[in-house]
Amino acid sequence: MDSKVKITTEFIKLDQLLKFSGAVAIGSEAKELIQSGAVKVNGEVCTMRGKKIRPGDTVAVNGQDITVE
């Protein structure tokens, strides 16, 4: 399933994006997914919770692709 998330700032941190998009319910779930290597940013595994995600980036988690606009 693909979804698009529109942000009004220059960037959003990876863990915040996962919560904002509804991919996870709580922050600790986002932290676990990221640290376990289950999250990809632009096709590469990312283990940094604070990774800056900018418009045009795509995040893949749990079979879902989230594109930031």
Side-chain angles (χ1 to χ4, degrees):
M1 185 175 110
D2 295 354
S3 62
K4 294 184 190 298
V5 173
K6 186 166 182 65
I7 62 171
T8 56
T9 53
E10 182 185 344
F11 64 87
I12 185 170
K13 291 185 179 175
L14 181 56
D15 57 349
Q16 293 172 337
L17 174 67
L18 294 180
K19 286 190 290 186
F20 184 67
S21 68
V24 298
I26 53 175
S28 60
E29 189 181 349
K31 180 181 174 182
E32 284 178 31
L33 281 172
I34 294 165
Q35 288 182 336
S36 71
V39 179
K40 289 184 177 181
V41 177
N42 297 327
E44 294 186 16
V45 172
C46 180
T47 56
M48 295 185 306
R49 276 181 24 218
K51 170 90 173 146
K52 293 177 182 177
I53 307 300
R54 301 176 191 278
D57 287 342
T58 300
V59 175
V61 61
N62 291 338
Q64 178 182 9
D65 285 344
I66 304 162
T67 303
V68 178
E69 298 182 327

